[in-house]
Amino acid sequence: MKREDTVRNGHFLADRRWFFPIVIAGLIAGAIVTSSFIKAADYSLLCSVANTISPQGVDNGSATPIQLQAIIHYATSRITPQQNFREISVTFDVLKKRSPCNFLVFGLGYDSLMWTSLNPNGNTIFLEEDPKWVQTVLKDAPVLHAHPVKYRTQLKEADALLSHYRSEPSCFPSEAYLRGNDKCKLALTGFPDEFYDTEWDLIMIDAPRGYFPEAPGRMAAIFSAAVMARNRKGSGVTHVFLHDVDRRVEKVFAEEFLCRKYLVKSVGRLWHFEIPSAANMSSQGGAQFC
């Protein structure tokens, strides 16, 4: 059966609003597998197929402008996202259920347009340590919502930061907060107000850099994601996705703050956690998160 016939018969997608995100994911998968993207003629075919679905609006299956931009971008670029297709699919599966939602991404990169397009009509923001890189990316994709931020930590301090957290009451799960918490060295402070004022449904940690001693490392991002998840007031869990768990610091801090018992999926170098709010935890954990 041709793809057009499948779509018309309603067997390709239960909800037609996910046609364009699936197209985008398909383009990315093709890029990763073949290292070359589809030609402009193929993009025209995709548009033709899309027009047969619904010309009446986003809710009925038509693309948002950013989704169309993402299709063009990934159909004409030779650069692939940082994560492989199997890893991307883990987050995509959650977005299909939760979008539109509040999606926080640590890092700004080649996959940023993809993440924004997979959360149509939602709020997706990116936090990036390199202000020059923010300017570079936004020149090509000004629709992205990105903030340059500064971290207080360095990767070489990871072990010392763990010791600090265990002895500093303002880091304890029952006392921890982020905005203005200068006593806890793992708390992210001085970030944009939007970071603190929004209740995040999904948090992706794929930055900052963590592969040389003077790099910021992801210690504070992991800790702060755990704090935000525990402080959630709305219903449901907070989905936290951590990439590069093959590295020691990411793995150690994930097990300390995100907790093995909340790990629901492991694919490649990506871990997916579903963290309940503290009010819905069977045990508050005392001075430890896990």
Side-chain angles (χ1 to χ4, degrees):
M1 181 179 291
K2 294 181 180 180
R3 182 180 300 183
E4 292 91 335
D5 296 331
T6 306
V7 173
R8 290 193 191 101
N9 290 332
H11 299 309
F12 181 63
L13 284 178
D15 186 342
R16 292 184 299 181
R17 72 191 179 94
W18 286 106
F19 175 78
F20 280 92
I22 289 288
V23 168
I24 295 165
L27 290 179
I28 294 166
I32 294 172
V33 172
T34 66
S35 298
S36 63
F37 287 158
I38 62 176
K39 305 296 183 181
D42 297 315
Y43 170 68
S44 299
L45 175 61
L46 288 173
C47 287
S48 298
V49 173
N51 289 333
T52 68
I53 298 176
S54 171
Q56 298 176 353
V58 173
D59 290 341
N60 289 323
S62 62
T64 63
I66 197 167
Q67 287 176 331
L68 289 174
Q69 181 179 348
I71 290 175
I72 296 172
H73 172 78
Y74 291 110
T76 57
S77 173
R78 295 183 179 275
I79 300 175
T80 60
Q82 292 93 315
Q83 298 180 28
N84 64 42
F85 185 66
R86 290 178 61 244
E87 293 168 341
I88 290 169
S89 297
V90 175
T91 308
F92 180 42
D93 287 344
V94 176
L95 283 169
K96 284 190 291 184
K97 299 174 183 176
R98 296 296 296 269
S99 181
C101 63
N102 293 321
F103 187 11
L104 174 67
V105 183
F106 286 88
L108 181 68
Y110 300 119
D111 54 4
S112 297
L113 190 59
M114 173 192 69
W115 292 130
T116 298
S117 68
L118 295 180
N119 186 27
N121 304 309
N123 176 31
T124 305
I125 75 165
F126 303 89
L127 304 176
E128 171 57 43
E129 63 182 291
D130 185 350
K132 291 184 179 179
W133 179 242
V134 173
Q135 294 176 2
T136 298
V137 173
L138 293 185
K139 280 183 181 179
D140 294 330
V143 294
L144 295 178
H145 189 177
H147 296 286
V149 294
K150 293 182 179 180
Y151 293 89
R152 299 189 290 163
T153 59
Q154 291 188 333
L155 183 66
K156 62 185 179 182
E157 303 169 338
D159 293 335
L161 288 169
L162 271 182
S163 299
H164 162 76
Y165 134 73
R166 290 168 180 154
S167 62
E168 174 51 58
S170 64
C171 294
F172 293 173
S174 59
E175 303 291 335
Y177 61 97
L178 300 182
R179 183 169 11 210
N181 189 356
D182 295 325
K183 290 184 178 180
C184 179
K185 296 178 182 179
L186 283 170
L188 291 175
T189 60
F191 275 39
D193 287 340
E194 183 178 15
F195 171 74
Y196 303 107
D197 295 338
T198 305
E199 188 163 271
W200 301 106
D201 303 302
L202 279 73
I203 302 174
M204 170 71 71
I205 305 173
D206 207 357
R209 293 172 296 172
Y211 53 86
F212 59 95
E214 290 75 26
R218 299 178 186 174
M219 301 83 67
I222 293 170
F223 171 85
S224 296
V227 171
M228 289 188 288
R230 291 176 63 92
N231 291 341
R232 182 179 182 85
K233 300 296 188 293
S235 61
V237 299
T238 302
H239 296 268
V240 179
F241 306 90
L242 175 62
H243 198 228
D244 297 317
V245 294
D246 56 320
R247 302 193 301 212
R248 186 186 75 87
V249 169
E250 277 80 355
K251 185 175 182 180
V252 168
F253 274 72
E255 292 177 338
E256 183 70 39
F257 298 111
L258 303 179
C259 310
R260 278 275 185 179
K261 61 184 176 182
Y262 301 132
L263 177 63
V264 295
K265 201 159 193 177
S266 174
V267 175
R269 296 183 294 138
L270 183 81
W271 280 356
H272 171 204
F273 299 85
E274 293 183 0
I275 303 177
S277 66
N280 293 323
M281 289 181 178
S282 56
S283 174
Q284 299 299 315
Q288 295 185 336
F289 281 75
C290 303

